[in-house]
Amino acid sequence: MPRAFLDAGWLTGLIMTIVLGFFMVYTMHVVLNDINSMQKRFGVPLLSYGKSMEVAVSMGPRRFQFLAKPMHYYVDILVSLYHFGVDSIYVVFIAKILKDLGDIYFWPLDERLYMALLLPPLILTFFIRQLKLLKPFSLISNLMITIAFLITLSYLLQDLPEFSELRPFQPLKSLPLVFGTLLFSIESIGVILTILRRMQTPADFLGTCGVLNRGMAVVILFYAGFGVLGYWRYGQHTASSVLHNLPMDEILTQLVAGFFALGVFFSYALSGYVTVDIIWHGYMEQKMEAGHSSKMVKCLVQIALVIASVLVAILFPDFWLLLSIVGSFCMAQLGLIFPGILDLCVQYEEGYGPGRILLWRSMIFIAGGLAGGVAGTLHCSGFDEQP
């Protein structure tokens, strides 16, 4: 986030974080309310994102109903790709920290070697089969990251330069990269739907003071505050990860890096759970016979996903660029474009309200996702720099 504020300027970054953050929360509410509406209408259990898109498109304009099944598949692919990309970014992040610590206490090694060494422990975390069993790991991750954050905050508050030295605005060419970073950081519709389907009291999730609003408000305000403070402390020297700005020769900083690495490590399986859930339960399980062969195939799928995420990390070790392109390409579609399409189809038969306001809402979702997603993806891919 500090790097995003460097590229955007502190004022632009602050506005983008808060506005885009709460806008994304609003789109989540729209998606979840539409899914609940379809659930009541058809009397089926809470649907996955992909299945929700299929049902919604089948309710929309007749000329587009033939796209219902392809949309289901495409959404599943994107959700799986996003969470797979998150795991690849986690591998890069952990490996860079391990390299920093290894260079101090052992001997200099290529960070890609550390990525390869992460394979066995990451595979072990992937064998946790039930979401509820991942809760202790999530709690440990949150605790470690909270401690590391508080220590990092103490460094950021030391020797702050004059705030007037910061730039409130930056050239517009960097905004697509910032857009992708913010989407990656804030949006996680796949995890939200997976958790919601497994909640004992899903009614507590929505509402003005529901779990979603309370949790996301804390997240958005944290990102905004941390982004401004990190940029304020390090200015034009702000690194892609604020950890690289901290003095790694100090024991306390090394402890912070270790806590962040462990926290992200314990988060790896939770993100990967979504990909496994879609691939296995959505497409493979019903084709497999019950028994040991089925369990073995699922284990092989999990191992293959871990290996693939490590290989992607080795091939694309640029943490900042990988993070932004995953956010721009996947989350612009999953967090903005598809919510707009889903809502447009669900509201089709009942009309779009006074002045067709709900239609305009859907079109704003779609237009915002297209503009930000295309610009961010092209920027990250370097196509916009071609003559």
Side-chain angles (χ1 to χ4, degrees), residues 7-40:
D7 284 347
W10 70 264
L11 183 57
T12 305
L14 195 62
I15 293 172
M16 285 185 66
T17 302
I18 295 175
V19 172
L20 184 60
F22 284 101
F23 186 68
M24 296 307 300
V25 174
Y26 178 65
T27 63
M28 292 180 200
H29 275 277
V30 171
V31 169
L32 296 177
N33 285 327
D34 285 341
I35 291 176
N36 287 335
S37 174
M38 288 186 290
Q39 175 183 328
K40 293 176 182 178

Side-chain angles (χ1 to χ4, degrees), residues 160-358:
L160 287 171
E162 292 293 330
F163 192 80
S164 58
E165 297 178 7
L166 303 182
R167 298 177 181 176
F169 311 101
Q170 293 282 27
L172 295 178
K173 65 179 182 180
S174 299
L175 293 187
L177 202 61
V178 177
F179 178 83
T181 303
L182 292 175
L183 280 184
F184 177 88
S185 301
I186 296 170
E187 174 66 35
S188 188
I189 189 67
V191 169
I192 286 172
L193 287 173
T194 301
I195 292 174
L196 181 58
R197 289 203 308 272
R198 285 157 176 78
M199 284 183 65
Q200 292 181 351
T201 56
D204 295 339
F205 200 70
L206 298 176
T208 305
C209 296
V211 173
L212 178 60
N213 281 357
R214 284 183 282 133
M216 291 305 297
V218 172
V219 169
I220 293 167
L221 294 176
F222 161 75
Y223 281 149
F226 191 76
V228 170
L229 192 58
Y231 175 43
W232 185 5
R233 174 65 179 82
Y234 297 109
Q236 296 302 116
H237 302 290
T238 304
S240 59
S241 171
V242 74
L243 287 176
H244 296 141
N245 288 117
L246 302 181
M248 287 302 294
D249 56 341
E250 297 182 11
I251 297 296
L252 189 59
T253 305
Q254 296 165 16
L255 184 64
V256 168
F259 275 3
F260 270 123
L262 285 172
V264 171
F265 174 82
F266 287 126
S267 298
Y268 179 92
L270 181 62
S271 182
Y273 181 93
V274 178
T275 305
V276 174
D277 187 54
I278 291 174
I279 294 175
W280 181 251
H281 296 297
Y283 295 93
M284 297 185 66
E285 187 177 32
Q286 61 269 31
K287 299 178 181 179
M288 299 293 300
E289 296 181 0
H292 294 294
S293 61
S294 174
K295 295 179 180 179
M296 183 176 296
V297 171
K298 184 178 182 181
C299 289
L300 291 175
V301 170
Q302 292 171 315
I303 293 172
L305 286 172
V306 177
I307 293 174
S309 69
V310 172
L311 289 176
V312 169
I314 291 173
L315 290 172
F316 303 98
D318 190 329
F319 170 78
W320 175 243
L321 193 61
L322 186 59
L323 182 151
S324 297
I325 197 169
V326 169
S328 296
F329 180 74
C330 294
M331 298 319 298
Q333 297 181 72
L334 294 172
L336 288 171
I337 296 175
F338 289 153
I341 295 174
L342 187 147
D343 190 52
L344 189 150
C345 293
V346 169
Q347 304 294 335
Y348 176 71
E349 292 184 358
E350 299 180 0
Y352 297 105
R356 301 173 73 82
I357 186 172
L358 298 182

